[in-house]
Amino acid sequence: MADSLAGKLLLASLRITEPTFFRTVVFVCAHDAEGALGVVINRPLKGEAVARHLPRFEPFASEPAVLFSGGPVESAAALALGRWKPILDIPTPNLIVGRTGLLDLSRPIEELSGSLAEVRLYAGYAGWTGGQLEAELEQESWFVVDAMEDDIFSARPETLWRDVLQRQPGRLAMFAYAPNDPGVN
């Protein structure tokens, strides 16, 4: 296995045309020889307000304050990414990129509220078994790029795939302008 991709973004390449991952941006939360786990960060579930599903996190929910479809695996399970304030009043959490990491949703909100800056909540996740993601990378199904914390908490998730590609150097940026159906080009 190559280096861990935890903390990176996977952007669906033009090879992925099936609806589940078409033009998705996946934030990789964990990756090792056993497999990988990430969440799709650009699929808000319209009408699924955080206040309705996990009201204790509503004061911290970044806009849009809705649940996101984190991926096709265990869509009834909730995951959360939190960005911590610069000065923490709690033991250091397991950070993935910058001040952002997975939250333990079983902890009382009172333990987190003084240190938590914002939260994004996901229904389900994207998962790969050992070697599966590496095989997809060899097939050029994903572009791997550095994540910025603001990507995870973007107020415009519906344009995130294009926005992230546009800031990439070289030829990778040109993919941001590809039509949804390359056949109409």
Side-chain angles (χ1 to χ4, degrees):
M1 185 188 106
D3 292 335
S4 175
L5 297 178
K8 299 283 188 182
L9 295 178
L10 303 178
L11 283 80
S13 77
L14 302 182
R15 293 181 183 269
I16 297 180
T17 57
E18 56 95 12
T20 304
F21 286 107
F22 182 73
R23 298 218 173 164
T24 56
V25 179
V26 177
F27 177 66
V28 181
C29 300
H31 178 226
D32 60 23
E34 302 290 318
L37 177 137
V39 289
V40 176
I41 62 173
N42 66 328
R43 293 271 170 89
L45 294 170
K46 296 190 184 343
E48 298 298 332
V50 168
R52 183 173 144 217
H53 294 280
L54 290 161
R56 64 192 177 120
F57 287 98
E58 194 265 336
F60 305 100
S62 58
E63 291 297 326
V66 296
L67 288 179
F68 279 62
S69 175
V73 182
E74 294 191 41
S75 59
L79 278 87
L81 288 170
R83 182 172 2 201
W84 302 96
K85 293 177 182 175
I87 299 173
L88 296 175
D89 294 332
I90 62 170
T92 304
N94 185 16
L95 300 176
I96 301 169
V97 65
R99 294 178 288 119
T100 299
L102 283 168
L103 293 180
D104 179 352
L105 293 176
S106 67
R107 288 182 69 181
I109 194 67
E110 298 77 28
E111 290 181 19
L112 307 173
S113 61
S115 299
L116 198 55
E118 61 187 321
V119 171
R120 182 70 38 98
L121 294 150
Y122 304 90
Y125 61 91
W128 294 266
T129 59
Q132 184 181 8
L133 179 56
E134 290 76 10
E136 290 179 17
L137 292 172
E138 285 181 24
Q139 296 167 356
E140 298 179 341
S141 296
W142 300 99
F143 302 123
V144 179
V145 302
D146 290 333
M148 295 173 58
E149 276 186 288
D150 288 342
D151 296 332
I152 298 162
F153 301 99
S154 173
R156 298 177 358 163
E158 56 282 331
T159 65
L160 192 58
W161 185 84
R162 175 169 282 148
D163 295 343
V164 172
L165 281 171
Q166 284 176 332
R167 74 171 187 244
Q168 300 309 309
R171 294 179 41 158
L172 192 53
M174 75 179 183
F175 288 103
Y177 303 100
N180 283 344
D181 180 0
V184 298
N185 198 5

